[in-house]
Structure formats: C-alpha cells, structure tokens
Amino acid sequence: TLPPNDIHDNTTGLRLWSGGEAQFNRIHGNATGIDAQNNTDVHHNVLYRNTEQAVLVDGHHDVAIENNTVYAPLGHGVRVRGGGYDVALQNNIIWTDSGYGIFVDTNSQQGFESDYNDLFSTGGGQLVWWQKPFADLFDWQVEAGLDEHSIGSTVPDPTLDNPQFVNLAGDDYHLSSGSTSIDAGHPSSLFANEPSPDGERINLGAYGDTVDASPSPMQYLQIDYPNYYTDWPNTEGRPILWRTYDSTAGTLSGNVDIDLVD
C-alpha cells in the first residue's frame, strides 16, 4: 500500500544512486523529483507538482521508469539529457500542463524506449520533445515509431484518455471508474495483486499491480487496432485487433458479434 515515504519541498527529492531502486513513494513539491543514475529502477511512485521535472536522467544509462503516476502542472514529466542512453518507459501515466511529458535531448536518444503509457496534456503542455515538439500522440507514433501501444492526447478526441484521477485538486491519483488507463498496461506485466475483477491486464500508473488498483469493468470489449485514423492503401489488407473480458464467464470467453458497416 502506498506510501512508505513522503518526500517533498527539496531541490532534489530523491537522488537514486547507481544500482538503486525507488518504489512506492509520494514525491512532490521539489524542483526535481527523482535524479536517477546508472542501472536504476523507478517504479510505482506518485510524482506530482514538482516544478522542473519529475524524473531526471542526466548523462546516465540503463534506467527503467515503470508504473509511475506523474502530474506536472509545471516543468516536465521525464527529462533525459546529457548523453543519457538506454532509458525505458512503460506503464506510466504522465500528465503535463505547461512543459513536456517526455523531453529527450538529441544527444540522449540512443536506446530510448517508450510504450504502453498514457501521455496526456492540458493547457500549454505537450506530450514529447524529440528533435521537435509533439502535441498529438498519433503524430508521435507515426514519426518516431515509439509509444505505438500507448494512449493519450489526440486531435480527434483530446480528452478521451484523461486519466480521471479521483481528486486531482486533493492529490488523490487513484483512477476513477471509466478511466482508459485501467487495464491499459503491457500484456506481459504482472497484475495478480490487483483486486477482482482485474481485467487480466495491469493498470497504468503507480497503483498498477497493487491492492490499490482500481477494479476493471465486469465486462468489456476493447478495440486495440486501428484507433482513429490510419492510412491504408485500398489494395492491402490490415488486421483489426480487439480483446474481451467477462468476469462472469472467464477470461477471453463468450461471443463477439462483428458487423461490417460500409
């Protein structure tokens, strides 16, 4: 259960030395939330209202940033600079309101990986800096080939993937029922600690695979691909991918009716 540590109002909230692990913390009101160095794991933390960046990787390598919840009304979510490399993001919720959710310097792109996140922005915030700003998730996916299974802000529906925190003003970052971040994590990520019904998929954010995770719907059918617009030549076939869950009938069971509308 979160949190064992409440770290706040420092220049750097937590400096994570080489080989270290930062987990299950609430880190807020600092200039930098976590300064992650070589071979470190940053997971299941709630990082909010830090003013420069929630997580900083400055010239370091082999940093895993997984299942964190980041709310950044000021500054950036994750900042990679100084020649850092082999930084990987997965299963995070990153909401920015003025800076960038992810800011990767051009000299720090080597080995960078990011997928299965909710990259959400409001106000003047943008999703990613990667040689140029990206405000739309689809543009980022197409041009960079990253976050191809992520959700987030798009021009067709900018508010669809709002994480729907229980009480943003009160800094309660649990997910409300109906949040698209529920059951949106990597299919191979562990989820056994989530309460039933668990949807057979980990929740995004700091509470994924914990007893504090928000329950899944009793039943759902979710389209995984395509989502909104994709350019398809009319002479080429493409898959349509979906997944279903029915807590009363067993995982991936039951019938799915498919109608083609021309």
Side-chain angles (χ1 to χ4, degrees):
T1 300
L2 299 177
N5 296 299
D6 186 19
I7 302 170
H8 59 89
D9 298 308
N10 304 285
T11 302
T12 299
L14 177 63
R15 180 164 287 112
L16 189 59
W17 297 112
S18 296
E21 181 178 21
Q23 60 178 336
F24 302 114
N25 303 289
R26 289 179 70 93
I27 301 177
H28 57 100
N30 309 284
T32 295
I34 297 176
D35 179 359
Q37 302 191 16
N38 299 332
N39 300 295
T40 52
D41 291 329
V42 177
H43 65 93
H44 292 93
N45 301 282
V46 181
L47 300 114
Y48 60 98
R49 305 185 193 279
N50 299 286
T51 57
E52 294 184 7
Q53 55 263 318
V55 180
L56 174 64
V57 181
D58 190 359
H60 298 290
H61 60 84
D62 294 283
V63 179
I65 302 169
E66 184 171 353
N67 271 108
N68 300 281
T69 294
V70 174
Y71 174 60
L74 296 173
H76 310 306
V78 175
R79 182 81 161 90
V80 186
R81 68 186 187 194
Y85 61 92
D86 290 345
V87 177
L89 281 70
Q90 182 174 282
N91 296 346
N92 302 286
I93 298 173
I94 303 176
W95 179 346
T96 182
D97 194 51
S98 62
Y100 291 88
I102 302 171
F103 194 120
V104 182
D105 282 9
T106 304
N107 66 1
S108 303
Q109 295 178 358
Q110 179 181 340
F112 182 83
E113 299 177 6
S114 185
D115 206 358
Y116 290 95
N117 302 293
D118 185 352
L119 305 180
F120 188 70
S121 64
T122 48
Q126 301 204 54
L127 303 186
V128 179
W129 172 271
W130 180 275
Q131 299 182 358
K132 69 176 189 178
F134 288 89
D136 182 284
L137 177 67
F138 295 143
D139 292 340
W140 166 239
Q141 291 171 329
V142 169
E143 293 194 36
L146 293 166
D147 281 296
E148 293 186 338
H149 301 93
S150 293
I151 59 177
S153 297
T154 63
V155 171
D157 197 339
T159 63
L160 173 66
D161 294 321
N162 183 319
Q164 298 185 33
F165 297 131
V166 167
N167 185 349
L168 180 61
D171 295 322
D172 183 346
Y173 297 96
H174 292 83
L175 302 178
S176 298
S177 175
S179 169
T180 56
S181 290
I182 295 173
D183 298 331
H186 194 286
S188 67
S189 296
L190 300 177
F191 57 85
N193 291 316
E194 297 188 4
S196 181
D198 57 31
E200 298 294 322
R201 185 77 70 93
I202 192 172
N203 290 0
L204 300 183
Y207 301 105
D209 193 33
T210 75
V211 297
D212 289 327
S214 300
S216 306
M218 298 295 290
Q219 299 171 310
Y220 66 75
L221 185 154
Q222 180 171 318
I223 302 296
D224 288 333
Y225 181 82
N227 191 6
Y228 288 118
Y229 59 82
T230 304
D231 292 329
W232 284 357
N234 62 8
T235 57
E236 299 180 12
R238 291 291 189 276
I240 297 174
L241 306 178
W242 70 90
R243 56 191 171 96
T244 65
Y245 176 76
D246 186 341
S247 63
T248 63
T251 305
L252 301 179
S253 63
N255 297 318
V256 177
D257 292 329
I258 301 174
D259 296 323
L260 175 63
V261 179
D262 187 354

